[in-house]
Amino acid sequence: MQQNQDWQRLLDEQLGIVRADQLRRYGYTRRITHHRIASGQWLPVLYGVVSVTNGPLTVPMMHSAALVYGGGSAILSHETAAVHWNIKPAPAEPRPVHITVPFGRSAVDQAPTRRINSPRATASAHTIIHPGVIVHRSRAIRHIRVDAGFPLTSRADTAIDLATAADTAREGMIELVQATTNARISIQEVRRRLEQRPPWRYKKAIVDTVGLLTDGVQSALEHRYVLDVEAAHGLPTGARQGPVIVDGRVLFEDVDYCNHGVPLIVRLDGARFHSANAVKFRDRRRDNAAELAGRPRLVYGWEEVTRTPCAVFEEVRAVLVREGWSDSSFPCSACARGRVISA
């Protein structure tokens, strides 16, 4: 009786997903397991992992299967944890489940599991049983784990993992900014986690990005402006989120070059449309206040900054020089290939 209760508790905890050694512990021999899989009663999900149902797996069941496969200390991480924390949107189709396991664990990546010929019509309706598993390793797994329905990496650790997993340092910087912005992750928490758990690569780029975020960069668009327009072309670094009083209210300018003796303001509009009347009115009043103060301003959105940063640079440079900045800019590699900066 007790064994039956323990078995049911295990199925409940693991959403009907079990390892081969767990099956043997409860009396299911290899012969019995093979018969139930061959007859379509159970499903082979991953190497050594079985579902004791024959229907399609839900996303939570896929996650549970990856954790069961990884072993008792495995946690969800990287893109999978990012979806949980709303850092990234949920994919339209199931994608491989990312898990992190302790160093020394033998678990390796698993390809998607597909159905082979099954005698049951209900089983043949879904070709892919499980989208596969991507395994990462960490020596600090006890310190990065939190429990939120499933064991997974904390929000700050997830953001850092996404940055270090990027293909290049620059992409890692963008991942970190997007993660902290989308999930409203405390920069102080990210900084603390970096001190406790230094990233295994891109350390300087990640630390520099945290510095930019600390200095007032508040969105992925602002970060791309810093990287692709200012830094890439030798423009001066403007002040971020400087306060300005309009109609008795405190508003904030995205980039202000007054700290370089130039009255230029650059506004970065991350929204494609501003439909709210209050937002439109605020922006008009802010524009009027800048004009009355004799301060030129330029406005750019995501498309211009990310697709044509060199053209944005040329416009910002032209106004800076016109307003008295001593030009020390230079062409980036893209500029050098496509155009020559005018004197």
Side-chain angles (χ1 to χ4, degrees):
M1 182 67 177
Q2 181 61 45
Q3 186 173 15
N4 290 339
Q5 292 177 348
D6 291 344
W7 170 247
Q8 188 58 52
R9 186 180 302 110
L10 178 69
L11 295 182
D12 292 343
E13 290 175 353
Q14 298 182 178
L15 305 183
I17 308 294
V18 289
R19 286 193 313 273
D21 64 305
Q22 293 173 326
L23 287 169
R24 290 193 295 272
R25 188 185 313 156
Y26 287 95
Y28 294 95
T29 63
R30 287 187 178 184
R31 182 176 180 179
I32 294 174
T33 299
H34 178 75
H35 169 74
R36 296 203 175 185
I37 291 174
S39 63
Q41 300 175 62
W42 290 357
L43 283 176
V45 179
L46 296 165
Y47 178 79
V49 177
V50 174
S51 170
V52 297
T53 66
N54 69 340
L57 271 60
T58 63
V59 171
M61 291 172 72
M62 293 176 185
H63 291 174
S64 179
L67 292 171
V68 169
Y69 165 75
S73 299
I75 60 176
L76 302 178
S77 63
H78 295 76
E79 291 183 9
T80 307
V83 172
H84 174 87
W85 295 124
N86 294 319
I87 294 173
K88 290 183 176 290
E93 298 292 333
R95 292 181 53 78
V97 179
H98 289 256
I99 63 172
T100 293
V101 301
F103 264 94
R105 186 65 57 82
S106 60
V108 296
D109 294 354
Q110 292 287 291
T113 305
R114 300 177 183 276
R115 292 180 186 269
I116 306 175
N117 294 334
S118 170
R120 297 204 171 208
T122 55
S124 62
H126 300 270
T127 303
I128 296 181
I129 297 173
H130 193 283
V133 181
I134 297 176
V135 179
H136 309 268
R137 287 173 169 77
S138 173
R139 299 184 190 278
I141 197 162
R142 289 186 301 171
H143 305 291
I144 64 178
R145 169 184 172 138
V146 296
D147 288 303
F150 284 111
L152 73 167
T153 48
S154 72
R155 293 196 304 166
D157 287 300
T158 300
I160 295 170
D161 284 342
L162 292 175
T164 57
D167 291 335
T168 66
R170 183 176 176 280
E171 291 177 10
M173 296 170 79
I174 293 170
E175 285 280 6
L176 183 59
V177 173
Q178 291 178 329
T180 54
T181 301
N182 293 347
R184 299 183 180 276
I185 301 171
S186 163
I187 301 306
Q188 289 72 25
E189 177 62 15
V190 174
R191 189 186 296 277
R192 185 178 70 84
R193 299 303 293 140
L194 287 173
E195 292 172 354
Q196 296 172 341
R197 179 198 173 210
W200 65 279
R201 67 174 179 173
Y202 308 149
K203 181 177 180 179
K204 184 180 184 303
I206 290 172
V207 171
D208 288 348
T209 300
V210 171
L212 289 172
L213 292 166
T214 303
D215 289 341
V217 172
Q218 294 188 349
S219 70
L221 176 57
E222 292 178 36
H223 185 248
R224 293 294 292 272
Y225 180 86
V226 173
L227 287 182
D228 299 342
V229 178
E230 287 185 342
H233 298 94
L235 289 179
T237 301
R240 311 289 161 185
Q241 302 302 319
V244 58
I245 297 178
V246 179
D247 297 335
R249 294 179 58 194
V250 178
L251 303 177
F252 298 89
E253 299 291 8
D254 295 321
V255 188
D256 189 339
Y257 290 101
C258 275
N259 56 336
H260 296 279
V262 182
L264 174 62
I265 294 169
V266 172
R267 292 182 185 147
L268 301 170
D269 183 5
R272 291 182 179 272
F273 303 100
H274 275 167
S275 57
N277 289 332
V279 174
K280 291 180 179 179
F281 178 75
R282 179 202 66 192
D283 288 346
R284 287 200 304 270
R285 293 298 299 143
R286 193 169 56 167
D287 280 346
N288 292 346
E291 183 64 31
L292 290 169
R295 307 190 65 189
R297 65 257 180 225
L298 296 171
V299 182
Y300 302 104
W302 179 262
E303 286 77 10
E304 302 101 295
V305 172
T306 60
R307 295 180 183 177
T308 58
C310 297
V312 173
F313 151 65
E314 290 182 350
E315 292 182 358
V316 173
R317 171 186 172 272
V319 177
L320 287 172
V321 171
R322 187 192 72 193
E323 297 298 322
W325 178 59
S326 180
D327 190 2
S328 59
S329 64
F330 48 78
C332 71
S333 57
C335 289
R337 289 194 301 269
R339 63 186 74 201
V340 177
I341 298 176
S342 59

